[in-house]
Amino acid sequence: MNYRHAYHAGNFADVMKHAILARIVEHLKAKEKPFRVIDTHAGVGLYDLSADEALKTGEWHGGIGRLLGEDGRRIPLPAPLPELLSPYLEAVAAANGGGSLMAYPGPPWLVRHLIRRTDRLTAVELHPQDHAALAALFAGDTQVKAIELDGWLALSSFVPPKERRGLVLIDPPFEERDEFETLLAGFVRAYRKWPTGIYALWYPIKNIAAATALRRGLHESGIPKLLAAELWVRERATPDRFNGSGLILANPPWRLDEEAKALLAGLMPILADDAGAGWSVEWIRGET
Ligand code: SAM
């Protein structure tokens, strides 16, 4: 396990993923019934943008740094971005105590900030050091369980949650050659156990063939209500580069497809590196 998200926190892919994640949590809050978010590859929860790792890559400058002035002042965003991004940007502001951008919240912090008193978060992280940081961040918080475990094992064991309502975020590091296959198989197995949950599966757009095979495999699984949202910051086929990322959403909340289209259309010009940038939101399978 060499991957450390501290090098990448707040980059363009995090902005897209976390903005959509925040919208899903807001939709879940529209009903009174409590829900649970299960994050299978959680990271440390909160990232220091002045740490050596973040300074070394500077990736956040091309992501959250472009959305917010780096001294914490908001740049004017075109409609409807302010409304759609407000839960996400409000959480980023809260993680910085309302001051300038020094820290970036990963999903555990973001979700914990957005959920209600009755909702719960299970955050799973296998790296012992990262798990220790995650556990320390939520020490004494009865709404959050930070668990040191293999996320693939958690995925098959923790669904359905006792609330029978909620979201599973699956965000592996893609270090292993077969991680696309593991993602597909792990999701399908979990879905069979809990077909009414919302799932968000993240993947990089680096090797287009792998991303295409994932989408084909999902289509062939026969699972209904699968939406794919992708954003790339340069030509998708640029070799050996992390050109973009995608989120597969199973059972997305009603109208999330429209929100995702508006979000990505607005974010793409801000996050683009060159004229090869683009986005798409497509149903792999609609309702059956
Ligand atoms: N979800 C985080 C975010 O959006 O900010 C980042 C996740 S990062 C892509 C992947 C994380 O998974 C890393 O923190 C890594 O240590 C952890 N990890 C790697 N293999 C794992 C496994 N088998 N089970 C659980 N966590 C794992």
Side-chain angles (χ1 to χ4, degrees):
M1 269 200 310
N2 295 316
Y3 181 94
R4 312 308 304 278
H5 196 68
Y7 290 98
H8 313 291
N11 68 7
F12 73 87
D14 269 8
V15 169
M16 173 209 172
K17 173 176 46 180
H18 299 157
I20 293 179
L21 174 66
R23 293 239 57 85
I24 296 173
V25 173
E26 290 306 295
H27 279 282
L28 281 164
K29 283 159 64 180
K31 284 190 188 153
E32 212 172 297
K33 195 168 180 295
F35 62 85
R36 181 175 296 263
V37 175
I38 300 171
D39 183 351
T40 61
H41 295 74
V44 300
L46 189 64
Y47 297 90
D48 176 1
L49 295 178
S50 64
D52 287 349
E53 293 91 336
L55 288 175
K56 190 167 176 194
T57 63
E59 283 189 26
W60 67 271
H61 295 287
I64 190 64
R66 294 222 188 135
L67 268 191
L68 302 175
E70 294 187 10
D71 58 0
R73 275 180 294 124
R74 296 268 173 102
I75 57 161
L77 297 170
L81 283 189
E83 188 193 338
L84 291 174
L85 286 173
S86 87
Y88 165 60
L89 290 183
E90 192 262 315
V92 174
N96 287 281
S100 56
L101 189 57
M102 302 292 292
Y104 184 77
W109 202 98
L110 184 74
V111 168
R112 177 63 185 97
H113 179 73
L114 295 175
I115 60 178
R116 306 160 299 186
R117 218 167 31 82
T118 48
D119 306 318
R120 297 284 182 273
L121 166 66
T122 300
V124 179
E125 169 60 49
L126 188 59
H127 195 292
Q129 225 174 307
D130 287 0
H131 168 263
L134 185 69
L137 188 63
F138 296 111
D141 188 332
T142 54
Q143 285 181 250
V144 181
K145 269 193 210 162
I147 301 178
E148 186 176 353
L149 187 67
D150 178 5
W152 301 117
L153 183 61
L155 177 60
S156 58
S157 340
F158 293 173
V159 299
K162 73 173 189 308
E163 294 81 1
R164 303 262 163 181
R165 228 187 133 230
L167 164 71
V168 183
L169 171 64
I170 314 170
D171 184 12
F174 288 89
E175 281 183 311
E176 307 294 334
R177 288 177 67 88
D178 59 355
E179 206 130 25
F180 274 91
E181 290 82 358
T182 308
L183 175 62
L184 175 62
F187 161 65
V188 171
R189 199 165 43 244
Y191 180 92
R192 302 278 180 234
K193 284 182 71 186
W194 188 32
T196 55
I198 301 171
Y199 295 81
L201 286 58
W202 184 88
Y203 58 96
I205 301 177
K206 193 171 180 185
N207 171 350
I208 293 206
T212 307
L214 173 67
R215 292 173 53 147
R216 192 182 324 113
L218 286 163
H219 181 80
E220 287 167 1
S221 74
I223 292 174
K225 289 193 270 183
L226 289 173
L227 186 71
E230 295 189 346
L231 185 148
W232 54 97
V233 296
R234 64 185 75 82
E235 175 49 51
R236 270 178 292 185
T238 308
D240 302 323
R241 291 198 66 183
F242 175 39
N243 300 312
S245 69
L247 260 190
I248 303 289
L249 301 164
N251 298 320
W254 187 58
R255 303 215 50 179
L256 191 78
D257 54 343
E258 295 306 320
E259 289 184 358
K261 282 179 191 167
L263 261 177
L264 298 197
L267 284 174
M268 190 274 284
I270 298 169
L271 300 175
D273 268 0
D274 63 32
W279 64 276
S280 70
V281 174
E282 292 167 354
W283 286 97
I284 293 178
R285 270 188 193 272
E287 307 233 12
T288 49

mmCIF file of all heavy atoms in Angstrom, residues 8-31:
data_model
loop_
_atom_site.group_PDB
_atom_site.id
_atom_site.type_symbol
_atom_site.label_atom_id
_atom_site.label_comp_id
_atom_site.label_asym_id
_atom_site.label_seq_id
_atom_site.Cartn_x
_atom_site.Cartn_y
_atom_site.Cartn_z
ATOM 1 N N HIS A 8 -2.675 14.114 -3.216
ATOM 2 C CA HIS A 8 -3.675 14.431 -4.249
ATOM 3 C C HIS A 8 -4.888 15.190 -3.716
ATOM 4 O O HIS A 8 -5.758 15.580 -4.499
ATOM 5 C CB HIS A 8 -4.156 13.121 -4.896
ATOM 6 C CG HIS A 8 -3.025 12.211 -5.271
ATOM 7 N ND1 HIS A 8 -2.154 12.515 -6.294
ATOM 8 C CD2 HIS A 8 -2.592 11.036 -4.738
ATOM 9 C CE1 HIS A 8 -1.241 11.554 -6.383
ATOM 10 N NE2 HIS A 8 -1.488 10.653 -5.446
ATOM 11 N N ALA A 9 -4.971 15.360 -2.401
ATOM 12 C CA ALA A 9 -6.188 15.928 -1.796
ATOM 13 C C ALA A 9 -6.526 17.293 -2.396
ATOM 14 O O ALA A 9 -5.664 18.159 -2.533
ATOM 15 C CB ALA A 9 -5.985 16.059 -0.285
ATOM 16 N N GLY A 10 -7.785 17.443 -2.763
ATOM 17 C CA GLY A 10 -8.256 18.731 -3.281
ATOM 18 C C GLY A 10 -8.016 18.917 -4.768
ATOM 19 O O GLY A 10 -8.254 20.010 -5.303
ATOM 20 N N ASN A 11 -7.557 17.855 -5.450
ATOM 21 C CA ASN A 11 -7.304 18.008 -6.896
ATOM 22 C C ASN A 11 -8.627 18.019 -7.680
ATOM 23 O O ASN A 11 -9.711 17.944 -7.100
ATOM 24 C CB ASN A 11 -6.331 16.936 -7.403
ATOM 25 C CG ASN A 11 -6.920 15.519 -7.365
ATOM 26 O OD1 ASN A 11 -8.101 15.333 -7.079
ATOM 27 N ND2 ASN A 11 -6.103 14.537 -7.634
ATOM 28 N N PHE A 12 -8.553 18.122 -8.998
ATOM 29 C CA PHE A 12 -9.783 18.265 -9.795
ATOM 30 C C PHE A 12 -10.727 17.083 -9.585
ATOM 31 O O PHE A 12 -11.952 17.241 -9.573
ATOM 32 C CB PHE A 12 -9.442 18.426 -11.290
ATOM 33 C CG PHE A 12 -8.970 17.160 -11.963
ATOM 34 C CD1 PHE A 12 -9.888 16.275 -12.502
ATOM 35 C CD2 PHE A 12 -7.618 16.840 -12.031
ATOM 36 C CE1 PHE A 12 -9.471 15.092 -13.103
ATOM 37 C CE2 PHE A 12 -7.192 15.663 -12.623
ATOM 38 C CZ PHE A 12 -8.120 14.783 -13.167
ATOM 39 N N ALA A 13 -10.147 15.882 -9.404
ATOM 40 C CA ALA A 13 -10.991 14.692 -9.239
ATOM 41 C C ALA A 13 -11.719 14.726 -7.901
ATOM 42 O O ALA A 13 -12.888 14.339 -7.809
ATOM 43 C CB ALA A 13 -10.125 13.435 -9.347
ATOM 44 N N ASP A 14 -11.029 15.202 -6.864
ATOM 45 C CA ASP A 14 -11.680 15.334 -5.550
ATOM 46 C C ASP A 14 -12.826 16.340 -5.628
ATOM 47 O O ASP A 14 -13.889 16.136 -5.023
ATOM 48 C CB ASP A 14 -10.672 15.814 -4.492
ATOM 49 C CG ASP A 14 -9.981 14.650 -3.785
ATOM 50 O OD1 ASP A 14 -10.170 13.495 -4.210
ATOM 51 O OD2 ASP A 14 -9.250 14.915 -2.805
ATOM 52 N N VAL A 15 -12.621 17.438 -6.340
ATOM 53 C CA VAL A 15 -13.676 18.462 -6.427
ATOM 54 C C VAL A 15 -14.936 17.852 -7.027
ATOM 55 O O VAL A 15 -16.041 17.990 -6.480
ATOM 56 C CB VAL A 15 -13.203 19.672 -7.261
ATOM 57 C CG1 VAL A 15 -14.376 20.600 -7.583
ATOM 58 C CG2 VAL A 15 -12.112 20.435 -6.517
ATOM 59 N N MET A 16 -14.772 17.141 -8.140
ATOM 60 C CA MET A 16 -15.938 16.541 -8.786
ATOM 61 C C MET A 16 -16.603 15.514 -7.866
ATOM 62 O O MET A 16 -17.805 15.533 -7.635
ATOM 63 C CB MET A 16 -15.491 15.885 -10.082
ATOM 64 C CG MET A 16 -16.590 15.093 -10.753
ATOM 65 S SD MET A 16 -15.891 13.756 -11.700
ATOM 66 C CE MET A 16 -17.330 12.867 -12.184
ATOM 67 N N LYS A 17 -15.777 14.613 -7.328
ATOM 68 C CA LYS A 17 -16.299 13.509 -6.493
ATOM 69 C C LYS A 17 -17.000 14.051 -5.249
ATOM 70 O O LYS A 17 -18.095 13.642 -4.905
ATOM 71 C CB LYS A 17 -15.102 12.626 -6.112
ATOM 72 C CG LYS A 17 -15.364 11.535 -5.125
ATOM 73 C CD LYS A 17 -14.109 10.660 -4.909
ATOM 74 C CE LYS A 17 -12.823 11.404 -4.711
ATOM 75 N NZ LYS A 17 -11.620 10.601 -4.509
ATOM 76 N N HIS A 18 -16.371 15.006 -4.597
ATOM 77 C CA HIS A 18 -16.902 15.477 -3.317
ATOM 78 C C HIS A 18 -18.100 16.410 -3.507
ATOM 79 O O HIS A 18 -18.993 16.440 -2.662
ATOM 80 C CB HIS A 18 -15.786 16.149 -2.514
ATOM 81 C CG HIS A 18 -14.662 15.201 -2.207
ATOM 82 N ND1 HIS A 18 -13.387 15.611 -1.924
ATOM 83 C CD2 HIS A 18 -14.632 13.834 -2.174
ATOM 84 C CE1 HIS A 18 -12.623 14.547 -1.714
ATOM 85 N NE2 HIS A 18 -13.347 13.467 -1.869
ATOM 86 N N ALA A 19 -18.126 17.135 -4.619
ATOM 87 C CA ALA A 19 -19.302 17.988 -4.887
ATOM 88 C C ALA A 19 -20.533 17.109 -5.109
ATOM 89 O O ALA A 19 -21.629 17.394 -4.598
ATOM 90 C CB ALA A 19 -19.040 18.879 -6.098
ATOM 91 N N ILE A 20 -20.352 15.998 -5.833
ATOM 92 C CA ILE A 20 -21.492 15.088 -6.076
ATOM 93 C C ILE A 20 -21.852 14.340 -4.789
ATOM 94 O O ILE A 20 -23.035 14.178 -4.460
ATOM 95 C CB ILE A 20 -21.185 14.124 -7.243
ATOM 96 C CG1 ILE A 20 -21.095 14.925 -8.554
ATOM 97 C CG2 ILE A 20 -22.245 13.029 -7.356
ATOM 98 C CD1 ILE A 20 -20.764 14.131 -9.802
ATOM 99 N N LEU A 21 -20.839 13.934 -4.053
ATOM 100 C CA LEU A 21 -21.081 13.254 -2.765
ATOM 101 C C LEU A 21 -21.924 14.144 -1.834
ATOM 102 O O LEU A 21 -22.893 13.683 -1.215
ATOM 103 C CB LEU A 21 -19.721 12.949 -2.132
ATOM 104 C CG LEU A 21 -19.684 12.377 -0.729
ATOM 105 C CD1 LEU A 21 -20.295 10.986 -0.708
ATOM 106 C CD2 LEU A 21 -18.241 12.311 -0.216
ATOM 107 N N ALA A 22 -21.569 15.411 -1.760
ATOM 108 C CA ALA A 22 -22.318 16.344 -0.887
ATOM 109 C C ALA A 22 -23.772 16.456 -1.352
ATOM 110 O O ALA A 22 -24.689 16.537 -0.534
ATOM 111 C CB ALA A 22 -21.638 17.712 -0.875
ATOM 112 N N ARG A 23 -23.989 16.441 -2.648
ATOM 113 C CA ARG A 23 -25.373 16.524 -3.156
ATOM 114 C C ARG A 23 -26.158 15.276 -2.749
ATOM 115 O O ARG A 23 -27.329 15.350 -2.399
ATOM 116 C CB ARG A 23 -25.394 16.676 -4.680
ATOM 117 C CG ARG A 23 -24.831 18.001 -5.143
ATOM 118 C CD ARG A 23 -25.828 18.809 -5.943
ATOM 119 N NE ARG A 23 -27.068 19.089 -5.273
ATOM 120 C CZ ARG A 23 -27.284 20.111 -4.439
ATOM 121 N NH1 ARG A 23 -26.330 20.961 -4.173
ATOM 122 N NH2 ARG A 23 -28.466 20.291 -3.891
ATOM 123 N N ILE A 24 -25.506 14.113 -2.826
ATOM 124 C CA ILE A 24 -26.215 12.878 -2.448
ATOM 125 C C ILE A 24 -26.620 12.946 -0.967
ATOM 126 O O ILE A 24 -27.745 12.604 -0.602
ATOM 127 C CB ILE A 24 -25.344 11.628 -2.734
ATOM 128 C CG1 ILE A 24 -25.083 11.509 -4.235
ATOM 129 C CG2 ILE A 24 -26.008 10.360 -2.200
ATOM 130 C CD1 ILE A 24 -24.104 10.403 -4.625
ATOM 131 N N VAL A 25 -25.704 13.410 -0.133
ATOM 132 C CA VAL A 25 -26.033 13.518 1.301
ATOM 133 C C VAL A 25 -27.202 14.487 1.500
ATOM 134 O O VAL A 25 -28.122 14.211 2.280
ATOM 135 C CB VAL A 25 -24.787 13.946 2.118
ATOM 136 C CG1 VAL A 25 -25.156 14.226 3.564
ATOM 137 C CG2 VAL A 25 -23.708 12.871 2.047
ATOM 138 N N GLU A 26 -27.209 15.570 0.773
ATOM 139 C CA GLU A 26 -28.328 16.519 0.902
ATOM 140 C C GLU A 26 -29.641 15.857 0.487
ATOM 141 O O GLU A 26 -30.668 16.063 1.118
ATOM 142 C CB GLU A 26 -28.065 17.774 0.058
ATOM 143 C CG GLU A 26 -26.950 18.644 0.605
ATOM 144 C CD GLU A 26 -27.182 19.033 2.060
ATOM 145 O OE1 GLU A 26 -28.155 19.761 2.337
ATOM 146 O OE2 GLU A 26 -26.398 18.585 2.931
ATOM 147 N N HIS A 27 -29.621 15.054 -0.579
ATOM 148 C CA HIS A 27 -30.846 14.347 -0.989
ATOM 149 C C HIS A 27 -31.289 13.367 0.098
ATOM 150 O O HIS A 27 -32.486 13.243 0.371
ATOM 151 C CB HIS A 27 -30.609 13.583 -2.294
ATOM 152 C CG HIS A 27 -30.696 14.453 -3.521
ATOM 153 N ND1 HIS A 27 -31.886 14.848 -4.063
ATOM 154 C CD2 HIS A 27 -29.736 15.007 -4.295
ATOM 155 C CE1 HIS A 27 -31.664 15.600 -5.129
ATOM 156 N NE2 HIS A 27 -30.363 15.717 -5.292
ATOM 157 N N LEU A 28 -30.329 12.659 0.689
ATOM 158 C CA LEU A 28 -30.692 11.706 1.745
ATOM 159 C C LEU A 28 -31.353 12.427 2.916
ATOM 160 O O LEU A 28 -32.250 11.888 3.570
ATOM 161 C CB LEU A 28 -29.445 10.944 2.217
ATOM 162 C CG LEU A 28 -28.994 9.802 1.302
ATOM 163 C CD1 LEU A 28 -27.562 9.373 1.618
ATOM 164 C CD2 LEU A 28 -29.936 8.597 1.434
ATOM 165 N N LYS A 29 -30.921 13.651 3.176
ATOM 166 C CA LYS A 29 -31.476 14.418 4.304
ATOM 167 C C LYS A 29 -32.896 14.919 4.029
ATOM 168 O O LYS A 29 -33.560 15.408 4.947
ATOM 169 C CB LYS A 29 -30.557 15.610 4.621
ATOM 170 C CG LYS A 29 -29.307 15.191 5.375
ATOM 171 C CD LYS A 29 -28.191 16.190 5.249
ATOM 172 C CE LYS A 29 -28.462 17.538 5.837
ATOM 173 N NZ LYS A 29 -27.307 18.448 5.663
ATOM 174 N N ALA A 30 -33.338 14.789 2.789
ATOM 175 C CA ALA A 30 -34.681 15.290 2.464
ATOM 176 C C ALA A 30 -35.761 14.442 3.135
ATOM 177 O O ALA A 30 -36.887 14.900 3.301
ATOM 178 C CB ALA A 30 -34.883 15.306 0.951
ATOM 179 N N LYS A 31 -35.413 13.188 3.520
ATOM 180 C CA LYS A 31 -36.391 12.365 4.257
ATOM 181 C C LYS A 31 -35.939 12.272 5.707
ATOM 182 O O LYS A 31 -34.743 12.226 5.989
ATOM 183 C CB LYS A 31 -36.458 10.956 3.660
ATOM 184 C CG LYS A 31 -37.223 10.931 2.354
ATOM 185 C CD LYS A 31 -37.480 9.508 1.899
ATOM 186 C CE LYS A 31 -38.074 9.527 0.499
ATOM 187 N NZ LYS A 31 -37.792 8.322 -0.251
#
